């Protein structure tokens, strides 16, 4: 159960970061002029919030040595 929960959290983090990074690119291509400074700040805050938690999960659950 813990491994599934860790996997869901990591995949959720990757999905959130992917959307946050890809959305401004799509907005630029479609002509929707969004202030990129706002998105850079949002990416910075989102990544800094989740990076510590995700690092602990990856290190603990996926970084163990089987040998």
């Amino acid at each position: 159960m813990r491994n599934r929960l860790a996997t869901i959290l990591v995949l959720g983090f990757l999905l959130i970061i992917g959307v946050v990074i890809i959305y401004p690119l799509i907005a630029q291509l479609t002509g929707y002029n969004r202030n990129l400074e706002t998105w850079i700040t949002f990416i910075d805050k989102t990544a800094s919030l989740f990076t510590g938690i995700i690092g602990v999960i990856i290190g603990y659950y996926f970084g163990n040595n089987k040998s």
Side-chain angles (χ1 to χ4, degrees), residues 30-48:
T30 59
Y32 178 70
N33 290 329
R34 182 79 176 164
N35 187 1
L36 291 182
E37 284 295 321
T38 305
W39 280 105
I40 291 170
T41 304
F42 186 68
I43 291 169
D44 183 37
K45 289 181 181 181
T46 304
S48 66

Side-chain angles (χ1 to χ4, degrees), residues 3-55:
N3 286 337
R4 270 191 261 159
L5 182 59
T7 303
I8 289 169
L9 285 172
V10 170
L11 291 176
F13 171 72
L14 292 175
L15 179 69
I16 290 170
I17 292 298
V19 167
V20 168
I21 290 172
I22 291 174
Y23 181 75
L25 298 175
I26 293 173
Q28 287 293 105
L29 292 175
T30 59
Y32 178 70
N33 290 329
R34 182 79 176 164
N35 187 1
L36 291 182
E37 284 295 321
T38 305
W39 280 105
I40 291 170
T41 304
F42 186 68
I43 291 169
D44 183 37
K45 289 181 181 181
T46 304
S48 66
L49 174 68
F50 289 110
T51 301
I53 297 167
I54 298 301

